[in-house]
């Protein structure tokens, strides 16, 4: 029954959060700060992961392509669709849950245990709204850009790895990524990304906001944020795929 | 003036505060003393609305405070300043931004006006040339002074201080105590201070409330403390040999 308690408290937390800001200019400043943290701050790890994952997907596809009747352009198709449909929105969200989720939970958790949240409340500020709303909007705004960059870099990584290793020609790969392209896949990836952005920020903020105790509990909240966000990403990945693609 | 009428509070079936009634006068430093776990912090959190009372009433200058919704409490909030035990300064903001924060949130002052007020408050707590320092660069005493500056920035009518001199050396403690006393009298604020520090009790306490096992055990003035026969209070206040010597004389 513990999960029911958390579910109920999570909804109350959401309800309290979506209220009119006390001062839009201060929320805007927070939003810009979070955009920078989430976007620019994540670009390094996203770029690195995307390039290498694209490379691995391409080489593994070639390695498994044993039937001589299948054209080499299929490698480009598989790499493109794997990256757009699954790797960039889902895997990148899992990476971001680790990076951003833990950072949100520990930041808010530390504010809780050092009474900074109480200080906000005493001033008459809706602390959950002030601390979390800008994070949600920033994540929802910036994650799609991050994921689109990841798609480009993943496909680029596949091309570099495949051609550098001499296992596929540049022409075959480029023809493959252009073949049978379904633009809706991008829309689907963006829908997934928006859902995951919301989940990562709200679940992590919830974990941080209700931290009790001290440094040990902040660490625990940070771990919980990553674990629960990741589990929810995987569940919602399945649900959205089932609902939208079938 | 703040009045408490029979307030009680418990957590998980355990009573923390039981039927506490008292009043805290305007323009005075009202001290709440008591051992660890006596209910001081819970009482203060009830008074500022961070924790809801189970029963009883909290009245600010004749206006009901307990039982109000977050929205209804908003006008009170801007009249309340609080100094937390650890300062509770916002880590992501520097000293100037910390003090300016409530002004930015609740006033429509220009940047120049806000800066003027911030500098005035920082000068008032004897902190100059520290505007751009971050909280991590401040000593314990400086953090408390910034917290006081932030608390008085919006000219509150009520100032709450939860153990403002804990963790400070005796000289800095006295500086903080005297500062709070001066501010209270200068701006005619109702100040309520939780403390363990006996220097504070003897130096700045206008009225003293002693909590014991969640109950109001004793209240009076500094002069009354020196004469009281209340066993628990004497055991608490005059615990050391030095203090016992003071009591004898």
């Amino acid at each position: 029954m513990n999960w029911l308690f958390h579910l109920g408290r999570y909804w109350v937390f959401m309800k309290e959060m979506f209220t009119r800001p006390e001062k839009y200019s201060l929320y805007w400043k927070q939003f810009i700060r979070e955009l920078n943290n989430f976007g620019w701050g994540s670009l390094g790890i996203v770029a690195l992961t995307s390039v290498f994952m694209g490379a691995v997907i391409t080489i593994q596809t070639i390695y498994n392509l044993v039937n001589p009747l299948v054209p080499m352009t299929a490698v480009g198709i598989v790499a493109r669709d794997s990256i757009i449909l699954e790797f960039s929105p889902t895997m990148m969200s899992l990476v971001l849950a680790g990076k951003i989720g833990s950072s949100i939970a520990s930041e808010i958790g530390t504010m809780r245990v050092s009474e900074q949240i109480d200080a906000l409340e005493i001033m008459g500020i809706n602390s959950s709204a002030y601390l979390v709303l800008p994070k949600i909007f920033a994540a929802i705004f910036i994650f799609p850009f991050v994921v689109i960059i990841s798609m480009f870099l993943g496909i680029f990584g596949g091309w570099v790895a495949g051609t550098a290793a001499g296992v596929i020609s540049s022409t075959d790969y480029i023809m493959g990524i252009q073949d049978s392209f379904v633009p809706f896949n991008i829309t689907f990836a963006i829908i997934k990304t928006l859902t995951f952005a919301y989940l990562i920020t709200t679940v992590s903020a919830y974990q941080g906001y209700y931290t009790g105790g001290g440094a040990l509990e902040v660490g625990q909240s940070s771990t919980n944020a990553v674990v629960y966000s990741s589990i929810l990403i995987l569940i919602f990945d399945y649900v959205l795929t089932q609902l939208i693609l079938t | 003036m703040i009045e408490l009428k029979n307030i009680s509070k418990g957590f998980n079936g355990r009573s923390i505060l039981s039927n506490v009634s008292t009043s805290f006068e305007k323009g005075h430093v009202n001290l709440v003393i008591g051992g660890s776990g006596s209910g001081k912090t819970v009482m203060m959190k009830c008074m500022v609305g961070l924790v809801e009372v189970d029963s009883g009433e909290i009245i600010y200058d004749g206006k009901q405070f307990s039982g109000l919704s977050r929205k209804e409490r908003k006008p009170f909030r801007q009249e309340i300043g609080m100094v937390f035990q650890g300062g509770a300064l916002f880590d992501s903001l520097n000293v100037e931004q910390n003090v300016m924060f409530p002004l930015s949130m609740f006033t429509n002052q220009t940047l120049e006006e806000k800066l003027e007020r911030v500098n005035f408050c920082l000068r008032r707590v004897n902190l100059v040339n520290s505007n751009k320092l971050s909280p991590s660069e401040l000593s314990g005493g400086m953090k408390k002074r910034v917290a006081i500056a932030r608390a008085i920035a919006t000219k509150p009518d009520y100032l709450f201080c939860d153990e403002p001199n804990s963790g400070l050396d005796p000289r800095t403690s006295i500086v903080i105590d005297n500062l709070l006393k001066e501010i209270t009298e200068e701006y005619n604020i109702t100040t309520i201070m939780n403390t363990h520090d006996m220097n504070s009790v003897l130096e700045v306490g206008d009225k003293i409330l002693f909590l014991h096992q969640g109950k109001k055990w004793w209240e009076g003035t500094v002069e009354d403390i020196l004469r009281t026969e209340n066993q628990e209070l004497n055991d608490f206040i005059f615990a050391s040999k030095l203090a016992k010597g003071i009591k004898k004389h």
Side-chain angles (χ1 to χ4, degrees):
Chain A
M1 282 305 161
N2 200 27
W3 68 271
L4 259 181
F5 166 77
H6 285 289
L7 190 65
R9 198 166 64 169
Y10 174 80
W11 285 116
V12 172
F13 179 61
M14 291 295 109
K15 188 175 156 276
E16 283 182 0
M17 202 166 61
F18 286 101
T19 51
R20 208 169 132 248
E22 289 85 5
K23 198 148 196 184
Y24 284 96
S25 59
L26 287 184
Y27 277 64
W28 177 254
K29 264 187 197 166
Q30 287 286 94
F31 173 74
I32 298 295
R33 185 179 146 239
E34 302 301 353
L35 273 187
N36 185 45
N37 286 346
F38 295 171
W40 189 245
S42 308
L43 223 47
I45 183 128
V46 166
L48 201 69
T49 319
S50 303
V51 168
F52 280 98
M53 283 301 290
V56 169
I57 288 169
T58 303
I59 290 172
Q60 282 196 352
T61 309
I62 294 167
Y63 174 71
N64 285 292
L65 213 66
V66 288
N67 191 337
L69 295 176
V70 177
M72 283 307 274
T73 52
V75 174
I77 298 172
V78 171
R80 180 200 66 206
D81 284 350
S82 310
I83 288 167
I84 290 177
L85 283 172
E86 204 51 40
F87 164 68
S88 283
T90 310
M91 287 292 289
M92 272 309 114
S93 294
L94 288 171
V95 169
L96 293 174
K99 187 185 177 293
I100 291 170
S102 63
S103 144
I104 291 175
S106 51
E107 180 193 327
I108 297 179
T110 305
M111 289 187 77
R112 166 64 75 195
V113 300
S114 60
E115 297 180 308
Q116 292 174 49
I117 290 182
D118 287 345
L120 286 172
E121 286 289 329
I122 294 220
M123 288 176 199
I125 295 160
N126 182 343
S127 59
S128 55
Y130 176 71
L131 294 174
V132 187
L133 268 184
K135 289 184 184 1
I136 296 176
F137 284 112
I140 285 176
F141 184 80
I142 205 73
F143 273 30
F145 290 101
V146 171
V147 164
I148 286 168
I149 290 170
S150 159
M151 289 172 185
F152 277 107
L153 290 173
I155 292 169
F156 173 73
W159 174 76
V160 169
T163 53
V167 288
I168 186 169
S169 70
S170 181
T171 313
D172 281 342
Y173 188 83
I174 290 168
M175 276 179 70
I177 59 173
Q178 291 173 334
D179 193 18
S180 319
F181 175 62
V182 181
F184 178 74
N185 286 351
I186 303 278
T187 311
F188 175 61
I190 300 295
I191 292 171
K192 287 209 300 188
T193 305
L194 293 175
T195 311
F196 299 155
Y198 182 80
L199 285 173
I200 293 169
T201 44
T202 56
V203 170
S204 306
Y206 170 81
Q207 288 295 332
Y209 196 80
Y210 290 103
T211 302
L216 198 67
E217 284 78 9
V218 172
Q220 186 68 50
S221 297
S222 180
T223 307
N224 287 345
V226 177
V227 171
Y228 294 132
S229 303
S230 303
I231 292 170
L232 285 169
I233 285 170
L234 295 173
I235 292 171
F236 274 79
D237 186 27
Y238 168 72
V239 171
L240 289 171
T241 307
Q242 185 78 25
L243 282 175
I244 299 173
L245 285 193
T246 58
Chain B
M1 187 171 86
I2 300 176
E3 291 171 83
L4 308 184
K5 291 185 179 171
N6 296 315
I7 63 162
S8 296
K9 180 68 193 172
F11 293 106
N12 302 320
R14 198 165 68 91
S15 173
I16 305 294
L17 280 179
S18 180
N19 280 318
V20 177
S21 295
T22 190
S23 61
F24 300 110
E25 296 292 331
K26 206 176 183 68
H28 290 153
V29 177
N30 301 276
L31 299 184
V32 181
I33 60 171
S36 298
S38 60
K40 300 187 301 292
T41 300
V42 171
M43 190 172 95
M44 185 164 280
K45 286 189 172 179
C46 288
M47 281 195 279
V48 295
L50 284 176
V51 171
E52 292 303 319
V53 289
D54 293 337
S55 63
E57 289 177 284
I58 297 166
I59 297 163
Y60 278 65
D61 287 319
K63 291 178 215 150
Q64 189 73 32
F65 179 76
S66 47
L68 298 181
S69 66
R70 179 200 285 268
K71 201 176 168 186
E72 289 167 325
R73 275 186 184 158
K74 206 146 196 178
F76 289 96
R77 291 273 176 236
Q78 284 145 44
E79 301 297 329
I80 293 175
M82 183 152 178
V83 180
F84 286 88
Q85 199 171 347
L89 301 180
F90 304 127
D91 296 326
S92 55
L93 308 178
N94 63 27
V95 167
E96 184 178 282
Q97 290 164 333
N98 260 286
V99 181
M100 198 185 285
F101 187 83
L103 297 171
S104 302
M105 192 58 99
F106 296 113
T107 69
N108 291 318
Q109 293 175 356
T110 61
L111 183 64
E112 287 71 32
E113 288 168 333
K114 284 187 279 188
L115 270 176
E116 195 181 320
R117 178 71 189 156
V118 167
N119 288 329
F120 172 81
C121 292
L122 287 174
R123 272 198 310 274
R124 188 66 198 79
V125 297
N126 305 319
L127 267 182
V128 282
N129 302 324
S130 309
N131 293 37
K132 301 296 174 195
L133 295 177
S134 72
S136 60
E137 294 173 289
L138 303 175
S139 68
M142 286 167 90
K143 278 184 187 166
K144 297 284 167 66
R145 280 189 273 172
V146 177
I148 294 170
R150 185 177 68 182
I152 62 169
T154 52
K155 302 177 183 169
D157 286 336
Y158 314 99
L159 182 62
F160 293 87
C161 309
D162 190 13
E163 301 189 25
N165 37 26
S166 71
L168 300 181
D169 64 83
R171 186 178 287 185
T172 312
S173 285
I174 289 169
V175 169
I176 296 289
D177 284 340
N178 289 333
L179 184 60
L180 288 168
K181 174 96 174 162
E182 286 165 22
I183 287 169
T184 301
E185 289 171 355
E186 197 174 321
Y187 304 118
N188 199 26
I189 301 174
T190 307
T191 297
I192 297 155
M193 192 200 296
N194 281 350
T195 186
H196 280 297
D197 189 71
M198 286 314 114
N199 280 332
S200 306
V201 174
L202 300 173
E203 286 281 328
V204 296
D206 293 318
K207 176 190 175 169
I208 296 139
L209 170 70
F210 176 58
L211 289 182
H212 183 63
Q213 295 173 347
K215 296 188 176 85
K216 182 173 98 175
W217 211 258
W218 183 91
E219 70 181 329
T221 61
V222 175
E223 292 75 33
D224 298 334
I225 276 196
L226 297 170
R227 289 192 299 266
T228 183
E229 295 302 319
N230 187 303
Q231 185 64 44
E232 285 78 13
L233 180 61
N234 281 332
D235 288 348
F236 178 75
I237 298 263
F238 304 104
S240 68
K241 280 182 184 169
L242 179 68
K244 278 178 185 137
I246 294 170
K247 170 88 171 167
K248 274 182 190 169
H249 290 96

